[in-house]
Amino acid sequence: MPLVCVCSPKGGVGKTTLAANLAYTLARGGSKVLAIDFDVQNALRLHFGVPLSDGRGFVARSAESPDWSQAILTTGGNIFVLPYGDVSEAQRIEFESNLANDAHFLARGLQTVLNYPGLIIVADFPPGPGPALKAMTDLADLHLVVMLADTASLSLLPQIENEKMIGGALNHKAGHFFVLNQSDSRRNISRDVTAFMQQRLGDRLLGVVNRDESVAEANASQQSIFDFSQVSAAAFDIELVGKRVAALLDIKVGDGELQAPLTSR
Ligand SMILES: Nc1ncnc2c1ncn2[C@@H]1O[C@H](COP(=O)(O)OP(=O)(O)O)[C@@H](O)[C@H]1O
Ligand SMILES: [Mg+2]
């Protein structure tokens, strides 16, 4: 049950996009992958063909049922989605307070999926610290911290390096790694920040993903970057990140057939 968390001190850096496409990459090896959304924006599902009008999710249900697996949506492939869902402000506050105050709340909610043999879990988080990210510390195997190739991301690097994001290590297993997203070699600042991050982070930098219009277009058509444009620079970069994550976690990723476009049922 490898569990990968995608997080960042910053918003709008591509966490959800990378989480979704990482799930697609890992699923291409034949593994079952569960994509879980811990962000109230509830946007992860939109990468998997779940209609905008479908507000189902585990947060609203978490009050009724301690087992969140009942809120899993199938996508027609070997990817499964656990959306946050459309919730009221009161439901969000209650969920966050349960995460913060009940040490077993998260493990109980995920118990069934954590025990599912061979299931890979990719969890997407809201920006910055938060009760979900903190509660995940003991369950997560690896964190991917997404940054942009810009100076704002650079200024936030010490937060991660000094374990300031949640006041300690993000996990106690494989540790945390970085992905630099939206790198653009035509822009001086992007080139400079990319070079600096490469030098500063070394092996901790798992990959650099090019800024590529196909990424947003793939999302708009609710497809993976691989189905939308297999030959795009971003598809290449994201696949490499996926392979490195798989290697770190000892997950088998085949070079198998691309999955057919997924539609939710
Ligand atoms: N490599 C990329 N190239 C171009 N656009 C990207 C790339 N990665 C993400 N985006 C776009 O950036 C925006 C923010 O991405 P998103 O995944 O929602 O970020 P976050 O989850 O960190 O808030 C989206 O419009 C997405 O399509
Ligand atoms: Mg997001």
Side-chain angles (χ1 to χ4, degrees):
M1 68 95 224
L3 197 163
V4 180
C5 297
V6 182
C7 63
S8 177
K10 265 178 76 70
V13 294
K15 293 179 295 299
T16 301
T17 305
L18 289 176
N21 285 293
L22 179 65
Y24 277 114
T25 306
L26 297 170
R28 288 170 70 197
S31 304
K32 283 184 178 161
V33 181
L34 174 68
I36 307 182
D37 194 350
F38 282 99
D39 191 339
V40 68
Q41 277 187 18
N42 197 24
L44 185 62
R45 72 204 161 111
L46 301 176
H47 289 263
F48 299 104
V50 177
L52 197 59
S53 57
D54 187 339
R56 288 176 292 171
F58 69 95
V59 175
R61 291 187 61 112
S62 67
E64 303 152 31
S65 158
D67 178 3
W68 304 344
S69 69
Q70 295 173 26
I72 290 176
L73 303 181
T74 56
T75 66
N78 50 354
I79 298 188
F80 301 82
V81 189
L82 194 47
Y84 190 96
D86 283 342
V87 300
S88 65
E89 179 64 358
Q91 284 173 317
R92 182 187 69 80
I93 290 170
E94 188 189 349
F95 179 68
E96 296 201 345
S97 132
N98 283 331
L99 280 172
N101 301 318
D102 176 352
H104 304 292
F105 180 69
L106 183 65
R108 260 199 319 271
L110 296 178
Q111 191 174 22
T112 304
V113 295
L114 289 172
N115 286 327
Y116 193 100
L119 182 73
I120 301 169
I121 303 172
V122 177
D124 181 30
F125 288 84
L133 196 62
K134 209 159 180 172
M136 199 50 103
T137 312
D138 291 332
L139 298 179
D141 290 285
L142 184 146
H143 281 74
L144 283 186
V145 182
V146 184
M147 297 289 214
L148 292 185
D150 64 12
T151 45
S153 287
L154 208 53
S155 69
L156 289 169
L157 205 51
Q159 258 199 35
I160 310 290
E161 290 180 327
N162 302 330
E163 299 191 340
K164 277 198 188 138
M165 192 142 92
I166 59 165
L170 289 167
N171 67 71
H172 305 297
K173 292 175 187 155
H176 66 269
F177 293 83
F178 294 85
V179 176
L180 202 57
N181 190 27
Q182 302 209 28
S183 177
D184 185 344
S185 58
R186 290 163 303 186
R187 293 175 57 225
N188 280 341
I189 193 72
S190 181
R191 266 204 319 272
D192 290 351
V193 173
T194 302
F196 178 85
M197 293 270 204
Q198 279 166 331
Q199 198 223 340
R200 168 94 162 243
L201 299 173
D203 290 346
R204 288 267 150 197
L205 181 60
L206 220 52
V208 177
V209 177
N210 260 278
R211 184 189 183 89
D212 186 336
E213 275 317 300
S214 331
V215 171
E217 288 166 18
N219 184 11
S221 61
Q222 297 218 340
Q223 286 184 316
S224 78
I225 184 70
F226 310 104
D227 291 318
F228 184 79
S229 176
Q230 202 195 341
V231 295
S232 64
F236 182 90
D237 298 335
I238 294 171
E239 177 154 42
L240 198 57
V241 170
K243 287 191 166 157
R244 288 181 175 155
V245 167
L248 284 166
L249 295 176
D250 233 356
I251 300 168
K252 190 183 157 294
V253 176
D255 291 320
E257 292 291 304
L258 291 176
Q259 295 294 313
L262 301 172
T263 43
S264 75
R265 288 190 221 128

